[in-house]
Amino acid sequence: MTSMVAAAPRMFDFQIVLASQSPRRRELMQMLVPDVHVALVKDVEESYPSDMAAEQVPEWLSRLKAAAYKDDMASGEVLLTADTVVILDGEILGKPSDEDEARRMLKRLSGRSHTVVTGVTLTSEKHSESFSERTEVMFDELSDAEIDAYVSTYRPLDKAGAYGIQEWIGGIGICGIRGCFYNVMGLPLHAVYEHLKKF
């Protein structure tokens, strides 16, 4: 049986290299670039200044990740690094350490709006540029039973804010969104495409 999904057209004359261990970012990039190359992920300490505004953190971290590959860049390659954060009340909600923390995060997000920001850095041998994209997400009220069901079934410990918009919780809980849907998944595809066209 043949696939119903056509491959993305080739639009760039350079090789795009994705430095990310996120399977979601890989899938998203393949929507734009049929032959994206995934680099071996390097261990980067994701630290940032304590007085940095929360919305500036993902762009800072994307540049920090890019710096780890500076000596590995080859001619004709463009490296993409990214970082996504969930922000509520000016505080970054990172990846939960366990299921109890995931439940606490979702209870905080329940019935409220929050901001998702993704920072992206594009790097070649001679040039580098960074940008950020923000999306506002509104959750309806979530019951304890709904939160428990999601956390125990999906175990969202690898997701900032303890949820994936493309999963069950997004379908039943998210009642509004302003901005790029894909940004909430981890990569603002339209913004990435526009920057790649100009790169």
Side-chain angles (χ1 to χ4, degrees):
M1 182 181 234
T2 57
S3 173
M4 297 291 288
V5 180
R10 184 174 180 87
M11 300 298 294
F12 307 108
D13 59 1
F14 45 79
Q15 173 68 57
I16 298 175
V17 180
L18 175 65
S20 174
Q21 58 188 353
S22 166
R24 289 169 296 283
R25 284 206 185 102
R26 190 175 312 160
E27 290 170 7
L28 290 172
M29 275 305 298
Q30 287 172 338
M31 289 176 65
L32 293 185
V33 184
D35 57 350
V36 63
H37 175 70
V38 180
L40 181 65
V41 177
K42 297 191 176 185
D43 189 20
V44 177
E45 183 181 352
E46 298 185 15
S47 59
Y48 51 89
S50 59
D51 59 348
M52 178 173 282
E55 292 204 8
Q56 296 175 336
V57 168
E59 193 171 318
W60 170 280
L61 293 178
S62 75
R63 289 195 297 267
L64 195 67
K65 293 174 183 179
Y69 294 85
K70 184 177 179 181
D71 297 331
D72 300 335
M73 296 299 301
S75 178
E77 288 184 342
V78 174
L79 177 78
L80 187 151
T81 52
D83 193 84
T84 301
V85 299
V86 171
I87 303 171
L88 180 69
D89 297 330
E91 176 189 345
I92 293 175
L93 302 185
K95 297 174 183 177
S97 58
D98 54 34
E99 291 188 7
D100 285 339
E101 187 177 13
R103 291 184 180 91
R104 287 195 296 272
M105 284 186 181
L106 289 169
K107 285 180 182 180
R108 289 184 62 189
L109 294 172
S110 174
R112 303 186 62 194
S113 62
H114 63 274
T115 304
V116 177
V117 181
T118 299
V120 178
T121 295
L122 300 174
T123 308
S124 68
E125 278 188 310
K126 299 179 180 179
H127 179 59
S128 180
E129 67 177 54
S130 301
F131 61 94
S132 294
E133 187 82 6
R134 60 175 288 158
T135 303
E136 301 296 327
V137 181
M138 178 67 191
F139 263 109
D140 201 350
E141 294 285 349
L142 299 170
S143 69
D144 288 346
E146 289 166 339
I147 290 173
D148 287 342
Y150 174 66
V151 171
S152 61
T153 303
Y154 288 86
R155 301 197 76 251
L157 305 185
D158 64 335
K159 296 176 176 66
Y163 78 91
I165 191 172
Q166 73 280 10
E167 294 177 340
W168 180 79
I169 197 76
I172 66 105
I174 291 176
C175 56
I177 180 171
R178 185 171 64 196
C180 177
F181 171 87
Y182 297 111
N183 188 45
V184 187
M185 285 183 67
L187 204 62
L189 290 186
H190 178 73
V192 167
Y193 181 68
E194 290 300 309
H195 279 80
L196 284 171
K197 285 198 298 184
K198 301 170 186 173
F199 196 76

